[in-house]
Amino acid sequence: MADDSEGERSAPHGQHRFVVVASRLPVDRIENPEGEPDWRPSPGGLVTALEPVMREAEGVWIGWSGDAGPAAGPFRANGLDLVGVGLSADQVLDYYEGFCNATLWPLYHDVIAPPQFHRRWWDAYVAVNRYFAQAAVAQAAPRATIWVHDYQLQLVPRMVRAQRGDVRIGFFNHIPFPGYEIFAQLPWRRQVIEGLLGADLLGFQRRADAANFLRAFRRSR
C-alpha cells in the first residue's frame, strides 16, 4: 500500500469533493421519441436517498449503465454529474452474472442457493473493481470524500487508497455480511477483507453484520 505522500504524488486529482461509486448509475438508458439515446431517473432507495446529497455537494456518481458496451464517460443527466463505466459482454457474464450474482449473492444470503466459485469470475471481479477505482481516483478532488456502495465493489476501497492517500473513503454494504463459517467458503475471502479495509469507515445493515465482518477480519489475519 502506498503511503499518503506517494498516493498524492502518483495519482491525478479531479474536481469533485464528493464521489459516489455504485454498481449502477442513477439513470437508465432509454430511446427518446426521436429514436436517439436518452436517460431517465432510476427507481430505487439508494438513488432516492443520495440524490439530494449529490445536488447539495455538487458531487459525481460513478456507475455502470447495465448494458454491455464502451464506457459512457462523463456526462450530465437529471441535473447530476455522472461517469459511466463500460463492461464488455464477457465481463457482464463473468463479473456481474457470475461472481456478483452466482457467487457473492447466495453466499452472503446464508447460502440460499449453492454458490459457484470460478477463477475466471474472480479475475473479472478484480478487473471491474479496478475500473471503478480508477474512475473514482480521476474524479476526486484533493481530500475528497469517496463513498463506495455494496458487495459488487468490495475491492475498490483498497485500490483507491493505494493511489490516493489524501481522500476519505467510506463503504456501505447493502446486503447481509455472512457468518464466518459461511464466508470461509470463499476462496478469495482474504482479498475481500483487505479490499474493504482500505476504507476509513465501514457501514453494515445490522449489528450482526458488523460482528460477522469483525470475526472474519480476525480470522483472516
Side-chain angles (χ1 to χ4, degrees):
M1 181 183 298
D3 63 23
D4 287 5
S5 58
E6 180 182 351
E8 291 189 59
R9 286 197 304 268
S10 62
H13 288 156
Q15 299 180 345
H16 294 278
R17 297 195 59 79
F18 182 61
V19 181
V20 171
V21 187
S23 174
R24 296 292 295 270
L25 289 166
V27 292
D28 294 323
R29 196 196 312 265
I30 61 170
E31 188 174 282
N32 66 23
E34 289 74 34
E36 299 174 346
D38 202 354
W39 301 90
R40 68 180 176 194
S42 301
L46 181 61
V47 176
T48 301
L50 286 182
E51 186 173 335
V53 181
M54 287 280 296
R55 294 186 188 281
E56 182 177 349
E58 297 181 353
V60 63
W61 187 305
I62 296 168
W64 171 49
S65 68
D67 302 318
F75 67 102
R76 192 167 177 83
N78 194 33
L80 299 174
D81 288 329
L82 308 172
V83 174
V85 174
L87 301 184
S88 69
D90 285 343
Q91 287 171 331
V92 173
L93 286 173
D94 293 340
Y95 157 77
Y96 183 69
E97 296 182 10
F99 199 79
C100 291
N101 290 348
T103 300
L104 292 179
W105 179 267
L107 186 74
Y108 281 32
H109 287 87
D110 294 333
V111 195
I112 58 174
Q116 301 177 46
F117 306 108
H118 300 288
R119 167 64 69 174
R120 185 181 74 254
W121 292 2
W122 166 253
D123 290 342
Y125 186 78
V126 174
V128 172
N129 272 246
R130 187 172 293 116
Y131 295 164
F132 279 86
Q134 291 169 345
V137 165
Q139 293 296 320
R143 295 174 295 281
T145 295
I146 299 176
W147 195 1
V148 186
H149 290 268
D150 226 355
Y151 67 103
Q152 299 97 337
L153 302 174
Q154 294 174 107
L155 308 183
V156 169
R158 182 177 179 86
M159 290 175 171
V160 171
R161 177 66 65 212
Q163 300 180 67
R164 292 287 299 274
D166 61 300
V167 298
R168 295 178 297 175
I169 304 171
F171 179 92
F172 191 85
N173 198 50
H174 293 268
I175 65 173
F177 195 91
Y180 184 75
E181 292 74 13
I182 293 175
F183 184 68
Q185 297 179 38
L186 183 65
W188 307 280
R189 57 191 177 275
R190 181 183 296 271
Q191 292 94 318
V192 168
I193 294 295
E194 290 176 350
L196 292 171
L197 290 175
D200 298 288
L201 178 67
L202 294 172
F204 298 91
Q205 285 187 319
R206 307 168 303 179
R207 290 182 180 272
D209 299 325
N212 287 341
F213 173 80
L214 286 172
R215 187 178 178 207
F217 162 68
R218 295 187 182 105
R219 295 290 295 272
S220 70
R221 298 177 66 181

